[in-house]
Amino acid sequence: MSVELEIDESKVWSPEERQAYLDQIPEMSLFEDHILEGDVMVDAMMALVEEGETAETLALKFKNKGNKMFADGKKFNKNYYSYALKEYSDALAYGLKALASPTPAEELAKMDIDEPIVMTTLMATILTNRAAAHLALKNYGSCRSDAARALKYDPKNLKAIYRGAKASSLLKKPEDTLRYCAVGLAIDPNNKELLALRVDGDRILEEQRVQRELDAFKAKKAHAMTDKFRKLCALRGVRVGRGVLDDARVKDFEGKADLDEEGVMCWPVLLLYDEYGQSDFIQSFGERDMFIEHLANMFPEEGPFCFWDQRHDYVASQLVVYAAADVVPAFSTPEAWHVALSGAKESDAMESARLDADEKHEYKPKVWLRVSPFCKLFQLLTHHQYVVPGIPVLNVMVRGSKQEASFLEAIEHRVVNLEER
């Protein structure tokens, strides 16, 4: 079953009415930049005049209904604020219709109206009141937008100025808060609400200034640390790329390897025991340390054994270490290091180049290094096929176990032995 809607053509805007509406749109005002596109929430073109009413009287009627809903929101339930928004939006639609195609004065004079209607004043009130409803619902951007629209109709509307200032303050935009306050206090120098908001704006402005200085200091420090890390790696012939493992320890410690008091470069290293879904994190693994030194401390021959080691076969002498070789592309420029490790902004061109490099790298055959326990970390880091994926990540398993057999089958035995030298 279909329903056909018949529209009374006499109540739809004519081309002349439409042009009249466009002609009456004000020029850009002081707070024009706060008006949100598409935030009118009405389609004025389709606002139809109900029988026995004019656009002016309907705008007033729906404004009053919105006021009632807003008052009920204060008294009973905040859901009424949403209902108030709907009424104010309907009022705005009829207000725009009335401005574009005013009812003749003699016709309005015949109607029973409790209060004279001045459309610019009414429009400012409707928008100011809708801004209050948005403010109550924490729609701060829309509140500010309606306040700015209201000021186009009434530049001295203190309620609109206050609501624009309040929404700007809640959006942590102190410059805009102070702009509203300056306009309002020029009209009413003793306005307590605006004076309080001006103090608030000055406070937020100072807090943001301090935060910017702190952020700049942190960025400068991060840049210096990354530069130092990059140069240390370059001196040793160590290649580094982005971390790919979704692990907080990788994200928190990539780029943090540094020299100790003896000039030895110490690295954070993550060890994975996939058989049991467990892991260990060594925060300072010296580049000259042999793998067996750490394994012997963590997995002594006579125990104690890890709580997850059900068979008690995770002892240093039985363990084998694997490392994925070039799992990620190495950083090729200082800018790439800083984007990944210092938090520097990545340009569109750099991002495009990085994504292309990542895509090409996906097609490269992957190789794993079987690391002798008597190798030093330095030997792994400087291997010509190895790229550090954020931080060194090692897969540890029991030699000859089913876990190792399954692992080797999965990687198609693409393994290169890394022996001590």
Side-chain angles (χ1 to χ4, degrees):
M1 178 180 178
S2 62
V3 178
E4 294 185 359
L5 298 178
E6 185 175 338
I7 298 177
D8 186 349
E9 295 292 338
S10 67
K11 295 180 179 179
V12 178
W13 279 5
S14 67
E16 293 75 16
E17 289 175 324
R18 180 178 182 277
Q19 187 58 49
Y21 163 66
L22 294 175
D23 291 341
Q24 62 84 37
I25 295 176
E27 295 296 322
M28 182 175 286
S29 64
L30 180 62
F31 299 104
E32 184 82 6
D33 56 324
H34 293 177
I35 296 177
L36 301 177
E37 291 295 328
D39 193 51
V40 177
M41 295 176 61
V42 296
D43 186 353
M45 301 289 184
M46 298 303 295
L48 304 181
V49 177
E50 297 180 7
E51 189 175 351
E53 298 275 8
T54 68
E56 290 86 351
T57 60
L58 285 169
L60 179 61
K61 174 182 176 181
F62 282 103
K63 185 268 291 184
N64 291 335
K65 288 175 68 175
N67 290 351
K68 174 65 168 58
M69 291 296 178
F70 188 87
D72 287 344
K74 283 185 174 181
K75 292 179 182 177
F76 306 118
N77 190 307
K78 66 180 181 180
N79 288 334
Y80 282 100
Y81 292 132
S82 297
Y83 305 148
L85 277 182
K86 174 63 170 62
E87 303 298 343
Y88 290 137
S89 296
D90 289 343
L92 184 58
Y94 286 115
L96 291 171
K97 174 75 173 178
L99 286 172
S101 183
T103 303
E106 59 273 16
E107 186 177 335
L108 280 176
K110 296 176 184 177
M111 303 188 71
D112 183 18
I113 304 174
D114 293 335
E115 54 187 287
I117 299 176
V118 179
M119 281 311 302
T120 53
T121 302
L122 180 57
M123 289 294 286
T125 301
I126 292 168
L127 286 161
T128 300
N129 291 359
R130 196 172 73 164
H134 277 306
L135 189 61
L137 291 168
K138 300 182 179 181
N139 301 331
Y140 302 134
S142 295
C143 170
R144 213 167 64 139
S145 179
D146 276 351
R149 284 193 176 95
L151 292 173
K152 293 172 73 173
Y153 292 103
D154 181 5
K156 294 187 177 182
N157 189 315
L158 283 172
K159 288 184 178 179
I161 291 170
Y162 165 74
R163 285 160 193 164
K166 183 68 175 177
S168 296
S169 177
L170 292 167
L171 287 169
K172 300 298 182 185
K173 296 182 178 292
E175 293 91 348
D176 291 339
T177 303
L178 295 173
R179 281 171 62 195
Y180 278 105
C181 289
V183 173
L185 291 171
I187 300 168
D188 180 7
N190 299 315
N191 189 293
K192 293 182 179 179
E193 292 175 321
L194 291 176
L195 287 170
L197 281 171
R198 186 172 67 179
V199 172
D200 198 43
D202 286 332
R203 176 184 58 79
I204 297 173
L205 195 64
E206 177 62 16
E207 288 176 353
Q208 291 183 351
R209 183 192 66 78
V210 172
Q211 187 61 50
R212 282 194 300 271
E213 290 185 357
L214 180 60
D215 291 343
F217 172 77
K218 289 181 178 178
K220 187 175 181 181
K221 181 178 179 182
H223 192 279
M225 289 179 63
T226 298
D227 257 346
K228 179 182 179 182
F229 176 59
R230 178 177 62 84
K231 290 173 182 177
L232 287 173
C233 290
L235 286 171
R236 289 161 171 76
V238 177
R239 298 185 300 156
V240 179
R242 287 174 176 263
V244 293
L245 195 63
D246 187 17
D247 188 292
R249 293 164 294 188
V250 175
K251 295 176 181 177
D252 291 343
F253 283 88
E254 60 180 334
K256 300 296 194 300
D258 204 351
L259 301 179
D260 64 11
E261 295 177 353
E262 298 178 357
V264 175
M265 194 169 183
C266 296
W267 290 76
V269 175
L270 182 63
L271 289 81
L272 304 178
Y273 316 112
D274 292 331
E275 181 179 6
Y276 292 103
Q278 299 292 327
S279 64
D280 276 321
F281 181 71
I282 302 174
Q283 189 167 334
S284 182
F285 196 126
E287 60 186 343
R288 298 176 186 171
D289 296 350
M290 291 188 294
F291 289 93
I292 191 63
E293 295 179 69
H294 289 275
L295 293 175
N297 285 328
M298 298 163 66
F299 302 102
E301 299 297 313
E302 303 298 328
F305 301 98
C306 295
F307 71 92
W308 45 262
D309 182 9
Q310 300 172 359
R311 297 184 300 273
H312 291 181
D313 52 8
Y314 273 73
V315 294
S317 62
Q318 297 185 44
L319 299 180
V320 59
V321 176
Y322 290 90
D326 57 348
V327 68
V328 292
F331 298 136
S332 57
T333 65
E335 290 78 14
W337 287 76
H338 288 297
V339 167
L341 304 177
S342 306
K345 186 176 180 180
E346 185 175 36
S347 68
D348 291 342
M350 284 186 62
E351 181 183 24
S352 178
R354 174 176 58 81
L355 293 176
D356 286 345
D358 288 346
E359 184 176 3
K360 292 176 182 177
H361 191 269
E362 284 295 316
Y363 294 99
K364 290 181 62 176
K366 300 298 184 291
V367 175
W368 286 75
L369 302 176
R370 183 188 288 118
V371 184
S372 165
F374 297 99
C375 277
K376 296 177 180 179
L377 177 61
F378 181 81
Q379 293 173 249
L380 170 64
L381 298 177
T382 56
H383 189 277
H384 70 280
Q385 289 178 285
Y386 187 69
V387 177
V388 180
I391 67 172
V393 179
L394 308 174
N395 293 69
V396 180
M397 54 197 76
V398 176
R399 185 182 295 103
S401 65
K402 292 182 179 179
Q403 167 68 18
E404 185 186 20
S406 297
F407 168 75
L408 293 173
E409 182 179 358
I411 65 173
E412 300 177 348
H413 295 270
R414 294 192 298 266
V415 177
V416 174
N417 289 322
L418 179 61
E419 302 293 344
E420 60 176 312
R421 63 178 188 271

